[in-house]
């Protein structure tokens, strides 16, 4: 899952140094190899984006058809009406990303440094849940978090729900149909996307660096703070991106584990497109979501460091 | 005191095990509730043990058809995406050409875009072109989002291959076709296999993009989504659990065989 890492390095730093020397004959070969796949991406990825941009500025209706009228008001209306959903999207996604990091980092660390010969088994267990459709697994959370279920009972006895209720995350001693349930569902769904890049990064750290730190009288805590953690930062960056981006566009968790009050941007896009059939608004909302994510990710990558980080 | 010290040393492992528990808990619940005899249309609360759902996994109208549709789409999109992606990966790993930066960006974007955005934009395209959505449009969409992942998996392998092996084959008078079929392809096979497996898993499990491009065609995720509104039969859990068990068995057999091979070599 260091997918983001490898390709990202290619786009930002031109890190492809291993390319073999160009052949004198057959210069058309790379283009012939690239053409079919790239054509597919242009036609079914790039062009739809342009069509969507154009649709967002059209007015009309289903029966009469749509005309491009550069109707920018669609954007303002969409933002004006649905800004709470966008705020929730990014708020929940950010909370889920932080929780994934808090849960995923120790797990990745344990697999990389403590699992020993069981490492393969741990990794299988991280990936195995993927083999059941994520929709089926998300439905299982409905059972786990059900009112009067064991989990909610324990949380109530520990007065945990009082704390989360104070924070506005739960209501009336229940977890299902609250923001907490949505955040937990998002955390669960995207945790492997955090663990795997972190593991890939930690696993590459030379154990001799730990020994060297120990030889120089660093305590385990200092070794972690000054050696391990800084070296794992590229994994943290790609892990947070791989978690945050899909989480902010998700709508299944919000729909099944949340309530109408926990709707996210994805829910609105889906409703506008598939139920209301208001295509310009759906296109505008989807464009806004994409734009905001691109802006946030770019700012984050800038802030997180140099090109070798992503 | 000994206990405290032991806890201190193993706190990370314990925390890791807890995290693994969090990740596997839903699978256990899914398996458990496949034996449930639900009281009513929804299978969310435990009512009683029964083997009904396992004895009749196709006992609900449309469920097995939806699995068959998902299989067909996953196999076809894996074949096409793997072929197209492998070609791109070879070009990226082996050749020099213009516009490398732009091409990398075009490959990177589909992986970094929320699915709902891709789904909505592709749906808009089909709508504007007046193409009826269905089996073919799902296939088109799945090939599109699997492609980049195949490229990443194969490219990593191609970059790690020693070009000297192919040069040696050429020196031994192998024709370019022979070099490709006998040396290059077998060397790249693990990467191609990994890419194909990833594509299959992504396609089989995709819901969000499929939701925007499916029309009346029902894949297994679409069936589950519909069922969540109408009533969830335990058969959903049976199919979910069966897929899980089969996949874990395949992975485990693969691991055992790999470790045996490693032992034989040693």
């Amino acid at each position: 899952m260091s997918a983001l890492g490898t390709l990202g390095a290619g786009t930002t730093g031109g890190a492809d140094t291993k390319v073999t020397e160009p052949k004198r004959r057959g210069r058309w070969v790379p283009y012939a190899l690239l053409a079919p796949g790239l054509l597919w991406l242009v036609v079914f990825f790039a062009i739809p984006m342009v069509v969507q941009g154009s649709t967002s500025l059209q007015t009309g209706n289903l029966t009469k058809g749509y005309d491009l009228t550069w109707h920018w008001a669609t954007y303002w209306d969409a933002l004006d009406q649905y800004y709470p959903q966008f705020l929730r999207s990014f708020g929940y996604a950010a909370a889920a990303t932080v929780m994934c990091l808090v849960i995923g980092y120790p797990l990745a660390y344990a697999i990389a440094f403590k699992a020993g010969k069981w490492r393969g088994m741990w990794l299988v267990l991280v990936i195995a849940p993927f083999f059941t459709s994520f929709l089926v697994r998300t439905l299982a959370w409905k059972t786990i978090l059900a009112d009067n279920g064991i989990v909610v009972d324990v949380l109530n006895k520990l007065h945990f729900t009082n704390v989360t209720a104070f924070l506005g995350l739960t209501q009336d001693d229940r977890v299902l149909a609250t923001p907490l349930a949505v955040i937990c569902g998002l955390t669960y769904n995207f945790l492997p996307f955090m663990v795997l890049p972190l593991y890939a990064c930690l696993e590459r750290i030379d154990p001799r660096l730990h020994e060297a730190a120990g030889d120089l009288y660093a305590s385990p805590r200092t070794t972690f703070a000054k050696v391990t953690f800084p070296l794992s930062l590229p994994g943290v960056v790609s892990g947070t991106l791989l978690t945050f981006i899909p989480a902010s566009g998700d709508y299944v968790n919000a729909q099944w584990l949340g309530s109408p009050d926990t709707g996210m941007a994805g829910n609105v896009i889906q409703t506008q497109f598939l139920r209301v059939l208001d295509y310009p608004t759906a296109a505008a909302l989807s464009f806004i979501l994409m734009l905001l994510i691109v802006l946030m990710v770019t700012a984050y990558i800038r802030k997180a460091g140099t090109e070798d980080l992503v | 005191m000994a206990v405290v010290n032991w806890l201190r040393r193993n706190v990370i492992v314990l925390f890791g095990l807890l995290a693994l528990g969090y990740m596997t808990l839903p699978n256990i619940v899914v398996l458990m509730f496949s034996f449930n005899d639900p009281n009513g249309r929804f299978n969310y609360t435990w009512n009683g043990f029964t083997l009904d759902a396992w004895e009749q996994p196709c006992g609900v109208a449309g469920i097995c058809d939806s699995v068959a549709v998902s299989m067909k789409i996953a196999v076809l999109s894996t074949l096409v995406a793997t072929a197209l992606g492998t070609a791109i990966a070879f070009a990226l790993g082996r050749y020099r050409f213009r516009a490398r930066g732009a091409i990398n960006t075009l490959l990177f974007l589909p992986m970094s875009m929320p699915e709902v955005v891709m789904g909505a934009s592709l749906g808009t395209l089909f709508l504007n072109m007046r193409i009826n959505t269905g089996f073919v449009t799902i296939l088109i969409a799945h090939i599109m989002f699997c492609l980049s992942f195949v490229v990443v998996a194969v490219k990593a392998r191609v970059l790690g291959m020693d070009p000297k092996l192919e040069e040696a084959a050429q020196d031994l008078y192998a024709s370019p076709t022979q070099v490709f079929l006998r040396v290059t392809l077998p060397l790249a096979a693990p990467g191609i296999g990994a890419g194909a497996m990833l594509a299959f898993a992504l396609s089989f499990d995709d819901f969000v993009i499929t939701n925007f491009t499916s029309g009346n065609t029902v894949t297994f995720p679409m069936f589950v989504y519909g069922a969540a509104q109408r009533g969830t039969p335990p058969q959903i859990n049976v199919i979910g659990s069966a897929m899980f068990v089969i996949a874990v068995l395949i992975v485990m057999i693969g691991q055992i065989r790999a470790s045996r091979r490693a032992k034989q070599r040693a």
Side-chain angles (χ1 to χ4, degrees):
Chain A
M1 278 300 149
S2 58
L4 216 64
T6 22
L7 267 183
T11 49
T12 49
D16 296 329
T17 45
K18 273 190 172 174
V19 177
T20 43
E21 284 301 300
K23 291 173 183 171
R24 268 184 221 135
R25 274 177 300 160
R27 272 193 204 156
W28 52 271
V29 172
Y31 298 101
L33 288 171
L34 288 167
L38 291 182
L39 200 66
W40 199 283
L41 286 183
V42 167
V43 174
F44 298 117
F45 176 76
I47 290 179
M49 292 291 163
V50 177
V51 171
Q52 178 167 257
S54 143
T55 304
S56 69
L57 296 169
Q58 293 174 1
T59 45
N61 58 47
L62 264 182
T63 41
K64 284 182 188 162
Y66 292 91
D67 297 304
L68 185 59
T69 51
W70 300 95
H71 192 255
W72 291 97
T74 311
Y75 277 86
W76 309 130
D77 292 345
L79 267 180
D80 190 42
Q81 200 177 348
Y82 298 115
Y83 75 92
Q85 277 85 347
F86 279 99
L87 287 180
R88 257 179 242 138
S89 258
F90 295 122
Y92 294 171
T97 309
V98 171
M99 278 184 52
C100 278
L101 192 60
V102 170
I103 299 170
Y105 200 101
L107 177 57
Y109 189 92
I111 301 174
F113 298 123
K114 306 274 178 185
K117 63 172 179 174
W118 295 103
R119 191 188 267 188
M121 203 62 220
W122 283 67
L123 279 175
V124 169
L125 282 174
V126 169
I127 302 166
F130 267 124
F131 295 130
T132 301
S133 165
F134 88 98
L135 292 173
V136 181
R137 287 183 283 125
T138 307
L139 281 180
W141 279 104
K142 275 195 146 169
T143 306
I144 300 168
L145 297 177
D147 308 337
N148 311 320
I150 305 170
V151 175
V152 174
D153 273 354
V154 170
L155 290 179
N156 278 334
K157 290 231 171 74
L158 294 171
H159 297 289
F160 181 80
T161 39
N162 292 346
V163 178
T164 48
F166 177 72
L167 292 170
L169 292 175
T170 54
Q171 254 182 349
D172 308 328
D173 287 351
R174 62 191 299 234
V175 175
L176 209 58
T178 65
L180 182 69
V182 180
I183 293 169
C184 282
L186 290 171
T187 307
Y188 165 75
N189 259 306
F190 299 108
L191 192 52
F193 295 96
M194 179 66 86
V195 174
L196 293 174
L198 275 176
Y199 163 74
C201 203
L202 285 168
E203 189 244 7
R204 255 180 274 153
I205 296 176
D206 192 337
R208 281 175 295 183
L209 289 173
H210 289 155
E211 288 164 25
D215 291 346
L216 294 166
Y217 300 105
S219 68
R221 198 171 291 174
T222 321
T223 308
F224 178 78
K226 300 251 165 150
V227 180
T228 317
F229 187 71
L231 284 173
S232 70
L233 271 180
V236 173
V237 172
S238 43
T240 41
L241 289 177
L242 283 171
T243 314
F244 181 80
I245 296 172
S248 56
D250 184 86
Y251 60 86
V252 176
N253 285 285
Q255 190 177 338
W256 285 356
L257 305 178
S259 64
D261 298 332
T262 63
M264 292 166 63
N267 298 80
V268 197
I269 297 173
Q270 189 238 13
T271 313
Q272 291 295 323
F273 193 100
L274 294 170
R275 294 232 197 98
V276 185
L277 307 181
D278 181 350
Y279 300 111
T281 303
L285 286 165
S286 156
F287 230 75
I288 295 169
L289 179 67
M290 184 178 79
L291 206 67
L292 289 175
I293 287 178
V294 168
L295 284 176
M296 270 185 251
V297 167
T298 325
Y300 176 68
I301 293 174
R302 286 260 166 83
K303 181 123 189 163
T306 49
E307 70 267 18
D308 56 296
L309 264 183
V310 179
Chain B
M1 218 36 219
V3 177
V4 174
N5 273 332
W6 184 88
L7 273 177
R8 250 196 184 168
R9 259 182 291 123
N10 291 295
V11 67
I12 297 261
V13 176
L14 288 176
F15 197 93
L17 286 174
L18 266 178
L20 273 188
Y22 176 63
M23 291 173 89
T24 34
L25 179 66
N27 286 74
I28 296 166
V29 172
V30 169
L31 182 64
M32 208 174 96
F33 276 73
S34 69
F35 297 107
N36 191 20
D37 185 10
N39 182 16
R41 285 181 301 136
F42 288 95
N43 185 20
Y44 299 142
T45 42
W46 185 258
N47 192 48
F49 182 89
T50 173
L51 284 170
D52 285 358
W54 281 92
E55 278 163 5
Q56 288 178 310
C58 295
V60 183
I63 191 164
C64 285
D65 293 338
S66 74
V67 175
V69 168
S70 275
M71 276 288 175
K72 261 186 228 160
I73 288 173
V75 168
L76 289 173
S77 55
T78 301
L79 284 175
V80 179
T82 309
L84 298 179
T86 305
I88 294 181
F90 268 98
L92 286 172
R94 282 291 166 87
Y95 293 93
R96 223 171 256 196
F97 47 84
R98 281 157 198 278
R100 178 173 281 269
I103 289 169
N104 271 328
T105 310
L106 183 61
L107 288 167
F108 172 68
L109 278 174
M111 292 192 294
S112 60
M113 192 74 66
E115 280 191 280
V116 68
V117 173
M118 284 196 282
S121 67
L122 209 49
T124 313
L125 176 83
F126 292 140
L127 196 81
N128 273 292
M129 309 285 291
R130 301 190 189 284
I131 296 169
N132 285 327
T133 47
F135 189 87
V136 177
T137 49
I138 302 177
L139 198 58
I140 287 173
H142 284 204
I143 293 168
M144 183 271 287
F145 71 75
C146 290
L147 191 55
S148 299
F149 289 96
V150 175
V151 172
V152 172
V154 181
K155 190 181 143 200
R157 179 76 194 175
V158 169
L159 285 177
M161 276 159 45
D162 190 350
K164 281 186 200 123
L165 290 168
E166 282 155 285
E167 282 161 24
Q170 275 170 6
D171 290 346
L172 295 166
Y173 299 104
S175 70
T177 331
Q178 280 177 317
V179 173
F180 182 75
L181 288 179
R182 297 247 185 118
V183 182
T184 316
L185 212 54
L187 278 174
I192 299 172
M197 265 157 65
L198 195 59
F200 186 89
L202 286 170
S203 165
F204 194 88
D205 199 22
D206 182 74
F207 163 69
V208 175
I209 295 180
T210 312
N211 195 16
F212 285 93
T213 51
S214 63
N216 294 324
T217 308
V218 182
T219 62
F220 181 63
M222 290 297 295
F223 182 89
V224 177
Y225 185 72
Q229 276 143 1
R230 293 189 309 268
T232 50
Q235 275 82 354
I236 287 177
N237 297 47
V238 170
I239 287 169
S241 306
M243 270 156 47
F244 173 74
V245 171
I246 292 169
V248 169
L249 278 179
I250 292 173
V251 171
M252 278 192 166
I253 291 168
Q255 279 234 332
I256 291 166
R257 281 178 67 181
S259 67
R260 257 192 211 158
R261 228 176 284 155
K263 262 183 205 161
Q264 275 172 4
R265 262 180 218 161

